[in-house]
Amino acid sequence: MSYVFCNQCGHRNPPGASFCSSCGDVLDLPDERTVVIAQVDPMQDALGSKDNATIRLGDISGLGVLVIRSGDLTGARFTISKDTTKIGRNPDSDILFDDISVSRSHAEIVNSKSGLVVRDLGSLNGTYINQNLTEQSPLRHGDELQIGKFRMVFFSKADILS
């Protein structure tokens, strides 16, 4: 399922939506969309606005992009372009998170015949897709991936344009 993100508030809307179901703003064409991801407050009380992450959807390359939406690395982007992308605290990881909440070999993203799949590699704190603990799950456009304390949103150009 390809979600449509609102330029005004960043809300995730169903595919084919013309107006945002949260703020009512008009949703525009896929290549012209720029999404602002509001930084998540660690206490889950409110959304901050001064450190928001912004991504122009027409600029996505590779199989997709993970954008960090909270913490010290807010706005950092990681392009998923390999058949297997390793995530962890190990310096040999493709996506390195040097934080104690992340296991050395925490998870991996694998490009399979059915699309991208996230696999937990026996991490201590688990891997979450859309706030659900998972051992293995498909990764789709608009999904939130949490590795340790790092919360990321996945953007896939293939899903946006389909």
Side-chain angles (χ1 to χ4, degrees), residues 23 26 40 47 66 86 91 99 103 108 134 136 154-155:
C23 71
V26 176
V40 178
L47 296 176
L66 285 170
K86 296 182 185 273
D99 185 82
S103 297
E108 64 185 6
T134 186
Q136 180 171 315
F154 178 70
F155 293 93

mmCIF file of all heavy atoms in Angstrom, residues 23 26 40 47 66 86 91 99 103 108 134 136 154-155:
data_model
loop_
_atom_site.group_PDB
_atom_site.id
_atom_site.type_symbol
_atom_site.label_atom_id
_atom_site.label_comp_id
_atom_site.label_asym_id
_atom_site.label_seq_id
_atom_site.Cartn_x
_atom_site.Cartn_y
_atom_site.Cartn_z
ATOM 1 N N CYS A 23 -5.590 17.561 8.512
ATOM 2 C CA CYS A 23 -5.683 19.026 8.487
ATOM 3 C C CYS A 23 -6.525 19.560 7.333
ATOM 4 O O CYS A 23 -6.833 20.746 7.295
ATOM 5 C CB CYS A 23 -4.294 19.654 8.450
ATOM 6 S SG CYS A 23 -3.426 19.451 6.870
ATOM 7 N N VAL A 26 -4.760 20.288 0.658
ATOM 8 C CA VAL A 26 -4.765 19.592 -0.624
ATOM 9 C C VAL A 26 -3.470 18.805 -0.768
ATOM 10 O O VAL A 26 -2.381 19.310 -0.487
ATOM 11 C CB VAL A 26 -4.892 20.606 -1.788
ATOM 12 C CG1 VAL A 26 -4.797 19.899 -3.130
ATOM 13 C CG2 VAL A 26 -6.193 21.375 -1.673
ATOM 14 N N VAL A 40 9.767 13.717 17.062
ATOM 15 C CA VAL A 40 8.972 13.088 18.103
ATOM 16 C C VAL A 40 9.550 13.443 19.462
ATOM 17 O O VAL A 40 10.740 13.302 19.702
ATOM 18 C CB VAL A 40 8.970 11.551 17.923
ATOM 19 C CG1 VAL A 40 8.186 10.890 19.035
ATOM 20 C CG2 VAL A 40 8.391 11.191 16.578
ATOM 21 N N LEU A 47 4.601 17.190 19.815
ATOM 22 C CA LEU A 47 5.507 17.208 18.673
ATOM 23 C C LEU A 47 6.291 18.511 18.697
ATOM 24 O O LEU A 47 5.742 19.573 18.911
ATOM 25 C CB LEU A 47 4.721 17.106 17.366
ATOM 26 C CG LEU A 47 3.952 15.807 17.166
ATOM 27 C CD1 LEU A 47 3.155 15.892 15.874
ATOM 28 C CD2 LEU A 47 4.891 14.629 17.116
ATOM 29 N N LEU A 66 15.699 5.651 4.534
ATOM 30 C CA LEU A 66 15.253 5.734 5.925
ATOM 31 C C LEU A 66 15.632 7.113 6.441
ATOM 32 O O LEU A 66 16.784 7.534 6.299
ATOM 33 C CB LEU A 66 15.940 4.668 6.783
ATOM 34 C CG LEU A 66 15.442 3.243 6.631
ATOM 35 C CD1 LEU A 66 16.378 2.272 7.349
ATOM 36 C CD2 LEU A 66 14.031 3.102 7.189
ATOM 37 N N LYS A 86 22.915 -4.123 6.647
ATOM 38 C CA LYS A 86 23.028 -4.481 8.065
ATOM 39 C C LYS A 86 22.949 -3.225 8.931
ATOM 40 O O LYS A 86 23.558 -2.206 8.614
ATOM 41 C CB LYS A 86 24.336 -5.217 8.308
ATOM 42 C CG LYS A 86 24.396 -6.545 7.565
ATOM 43 C CD LYS A 86 25.680 -7.284 7.865
ATOM 44 C CE LYS A 86 25.771 -8.533 7.033
ATOM 45 N NZ LYS A 86 25.153 -9.672 7.609
ATOM 46 N N PRO A 91 31.008 -1.531 13.925
ATOM 47 C CA PRO A 91 31.552 -0.584 12.940
ATOM 48 C C PRO A 91 31.439 -1.066 11.496
ATOM 49 O O PRO A 91 31.490 -0.266 10.570
ATOM 50 C CB PRO A 91 33.023 -0.444 13.346
ATOM 51 C CG PRO A 91 33.063 -0.825 14.777
ATOM 52 C CD PRO A 91 31.977 -1.844 14.969
ATOM 53 N N ASP A 99 25.099 3.477 19.879
ATOM 54 C CA ASP A 99 24.306 3.718 21.075
ATOM 55 C C ASP A 99 24.054 2.385 21.758
ATOM 56 O O ASP A 99 23.824 1.371 21.092
ATOM 57 C CB ASP A 99 22.977 4.384 20.702
ATOM 58 C CG ASP A 99 22.181 4.771 21.934
ATOM 59 O OD1 ASP A 99 22.472 5.841 22.512
ATOM 60 O OD2 ASP A 99 21.287 3.999 22.332
ATOM 61 N N SER A 103 21.931 -3.262 19.452
ATOM 62 C CA SER A 103 22.832 -4.412 19.521
ATOM 63 C C SER A 103 23.906 -4.294 18.441
ATOM 64 O O SER A 103 23.726 -3.599 17.445
ATOM 65 C CB SER A 103 22.045 -5.718 19.330
ATOM 66 O OG SER A 103 21.117 -5.887 20.367
ATOM 67 N N GLU A 108 18.636 -6.429 9.899
ATOM 68 C CA GLU A 108 19.047 -6.264 8.512
ATOM 69 C C GLU A 108 17.814 -6.045 7.651
ATOM 70 O O GLU A 108 16.718 -6.473 7.993
ATOM 71 C CB GLU A 108 19.852 -7.461 8.007
ATOM 72 C CG GLU A 108 19.090 -8.765 7.959
ATOM 73 C CD GLU A 108 19.946 -9.960 7.559
ATOM 74 O OE1 GLU A 108 21.176 -9.812 7.414
ATOM 75 O OE2 GLU A 108 19.371 -11.042 7.390
ATOM 76 N N THR A 134 8.726 -7.124 16.026
ATOM 77 C CA THR A 134 8.736 -8.079 14.927
ATOM 78 C C THR A 134 10.064 -8.808 14.839
ATOM 79 O O THR A 134 11.103 -8.239 15.173
ATOM 80 C CB THR A 134 8.427 -7.384 13.581
ATOM 81 O OG1 THR A 134 8.318 -8.372 12.562
ATOM 82 C CG2 THR A 134 9.520 -6.408 13.191
ATOM 83 N N GLN A 136 10.474 -10.580 11.808
ATOM 84 C CA GLN A 136 10.612 -10.396 10.373
ATOM 85 C C GLN A 136 9.332 -9.769 9.858
ATOM 86 O O GLN A 136 8.239 -10.211 10.207
ATOM 87 C CB GLN A 136 10.869 -11.732 9.682
ATOM 88 C CG GLN A 136 11.024 -11.612 8.182
ATOM 89 C CD GLN A 136 11.492 -12.905 7.557
ATOM 90 O OE1 GLN A 136 12.396 -13.543 8.064
ATOM 91 N NE2 GLN A 136 10.873 -13.284 6.454
ATOM 92 N N PHE A 154 10.389 5.030 6.538
ATOM 93 C CA PHE A 154 10.896 4.514 5.287
ATOM 94 C C PHE A 154 10.140 5.117 4.115
ATOM 95 O O PHE A 154 8.906 5.169 4.117
ATOM 96 C CB PHE A 154 10.759 2.978 5.233
ATOM 97 C CG PHE A 154 11.219 2.386 3.944
ATOM 98 C CD1 PHE A 154 12.571 2.380 3.611
ATOM 99 C CD2 PHE A 154 10.312 1.874 3.042
ATOM 100 C CE1 PHE A 154 12.991 1.858 2.407
ATOM 101 C CE2 PHE A 154 10.727 1.335 1.836
ATOM 102 C CZ PHE A 154 12.082 1.325 1.513
ATOM 103 N N PHE A 155 10.899 5.588 3.116
ATOM 104 C CA PHE A 155 10.324 6.150 1.890
ATOM 105 C C PHE A 155 10.815 5.323 0.717
ATOM 106 O O PHE A 155 12.012 5.100 0.576
ATOM 107 C CB PHE A 155 10.749 7.608 1.695
ATOM 108 C CG PHE A 155 10.176 8.522 2.736
ATOM 109 C CD1 PHE A 155 10.892 8.810 3.885
ATOM 110 C CD2 PHE A 155 8.932 9.089 2.577
ATOM 111 C CE1 PHE A 155 10.375 9.642 4.856
ATOM 112 C CE2 PHE A 155 8.403 9.935 3.532
ATOM 113 C CZ PHE A 155 9.124 10.210 4.669
#
